[in-house]
Amino acid sequence: MDHDAMDLTEARYELVISVDARRSGEYDDVDKQRMRERIYRVLEAAFTHAKVARDAVHMEDRGDGVLLSVVGRIAVTRLLGLWMVEVHENLRDENRGLLVPLGLRVGMHVGPVRHDGRGISGRAVDLACRLADSPLARRLLDTERADLVLVTSQSLYEDVVSSGGKFIEPAHYSSARLELKEGEVTAWFHLPGRPAPQIPAAPVPPAAPAGDPPPTADTTAGHADDVQDVQDVKCDDPADGPGAHYTVHGDMSQHSDNVYQQPVHIGRITGDAGRRKG
């Protein structure tokens, strides 16, 4: 049996990790190359210290980041715990003395992954990438002035993080709803070495330009001659009996049992009678 052919058609459950650099577009060509070198040093040193064999890790270059998947024989708790601690510490070392510190957004999700000669694919891959690239992850990294933000899927949090473990503290995660291309999902956010983050509010969209105020009774009264309103009104009138129904062209007012002390005009003024005489 051709086992390689099986690998191309069968999905394997793996931990997918998407790593993106903060504001990579602001680097020039020379600095971008140095940024990429720092990312690989940070990740590879973390795998070494966490004792994760290189043949257990698939890595794809993404220009301003790296896409990884880790085989199922490696405990996910080791990646969420010790590996993330090492990534954070290595990143802090790399950032010492830098005028523009390197910031990383990391998305994680476990799910079925398919491998082929060009890389990996599947919904699990898409979700991990969406989490790392989410606007909330970007805002959190900036508002907290952090080096690193980790975003996990709801299922990964429930199945692994919530149970805790070495270097895994579920109380240091905060949840939020994200609107992704595939729909709305719950994600969990963590800043290594810090308490649970305060989720920043979504930016308020700019207010629409102020226009004319909506028409009111006062503003439309002067144009009564140009408008013909047709209203179907149902009401209880003592004279006509309960549930009387009227079809009204123009204005309508209903009065009963009122006592007026002075002359009162009821209805609209039309024609020359409504104009002031100079």
Side-chain angles (χ1 to χ4, degrees):
M1 182 179 293
D2 188 349
H3 293 283
D4 291 336
M6 288 180 58
D7 288 343
L8 291 176
T9 58
E10 294 183 355
R12 294 174 285 183
Y13 270 76
E14 298 182 349
L15 174 67
V16 182
I17 307 172
S18 176
V19 182
D20 284 339
R22 171 173 51 196
R23 293 199 179 97
S24 60
E26 297 180 6
Y27 291 88
D28 61 26
D29 288 348
V30 174
D31 286 336
K32 184 166 289 188
Q33 182 178 358
R34 293 170 180 164
M35 173 200 74
R36 287 162 47 78
E37 292 171 353
R38 292 188 184 101
I39 293 175
Y40 278 98
R41 280 199 299 268
V42 165
L43 299 180
E44 290 173 348
F47 281 122
T48 299
H49 289 130
K51 294 181 171 54
V52 178
R54 286 305 308 275
D55 65 354
V57 181
H58 168 84
M59 301 180 71
E60 288 183 31
D61 184 78
R62 290 297 177 100
D64 59 353
V66 184
L67 177 63
L68 310 101
S69 66
V70 183
V71 298
R73 72 173 186 268
I74 305 298
V76 175
T77 51
R78 194 187 310 177
L79 279 302
L80 280 166
L82 180 57
W83 184 77
M84 281 304 307
V85 169
E86 291 294 337
V87 168
H88 184 223
E89 290 302 318
N90 295 340
L91 183 58
R92 292 177 62 193
D93 287 341
E94 289 286 344
N95 282 336
R96 286 192 175 95
L98 291 182
L99 293 177
V100 181
L102 173 62
L104 296 179
R105 304 185 308 274
V106 179
M108 284 191 184
H109 176 58
V110 171
V113 177
R114 284 182 166 81
H115 292 252
D116 58 30
R118 295 178 178 83
I120 58 176
S121 64
R123 292 184 178 180
V125 176
D126 295 341
L127 179 54
C129 293
R130 298 274 193 267
L131 296 176
D133 195 45
S134 63
L136 182 51
R138 295 172 181 270
R139 288 203 307 274
L140 193 59
L141 201 61
D142 289 339
T143 57
E144 295 290 339
R145 297 181 180 179
D147 297 307
L148 176 67
V149 59
L150 168 65
V151 191
T152 73
S153 63
Q154 171 78 356
S155 60
L156 182 56
Y157 179 87
E158 291 178 346
D159 295 343
V160 182
V161 177
S162 63
S163 298
K166 190 172 183 179
F167 304 117
I168 301 176
E169 299 179 88
H172 288 190
Y173 285 70
S174 296
S175 65
R177 296 290 289 173
L178 301 180
E179 187 64 43
L180 307 181
K181 291 181 179 180
E182 295 80 4
E184 195 175 64
V185 301
T186 297
W188 290 82
F189 295 79
H190 172 57
L191 300 173
R194 302 192 188 190
Q198 294 291 326
I199 301 300
V204 179
D212 295 334
T216 64
D218 292 337
T219 59
T220 58
H223 304 281
D225 292 338
D226 301 326
V227 180
Q228 185 181 38
D229 297 326
V230 178
Q231 306 176 48
D232 285 326
V233 182
K234 185 175 183 180
C235 60
D236 292 333
D237 188 334
D240 296 333
H245 186 276
Y246 308 90
T247 298
V248 181
H249 294 266
D251 297 331
M252 175 183 176
S253 61
Q254 183 181 17
H255 306 264
S256 61
D257 299 327
N258 295 319
V259 177
Y260 301 101
Q261 303 298 328
Q262 296 180 357
V264 175
H265 172 82
I266 299 174
R268 71 175 73 183
I269 298 175
T270 62
D272 293 338
R275 299 190 179 94
R276 291 188 179 182
K277 298 186 183 293

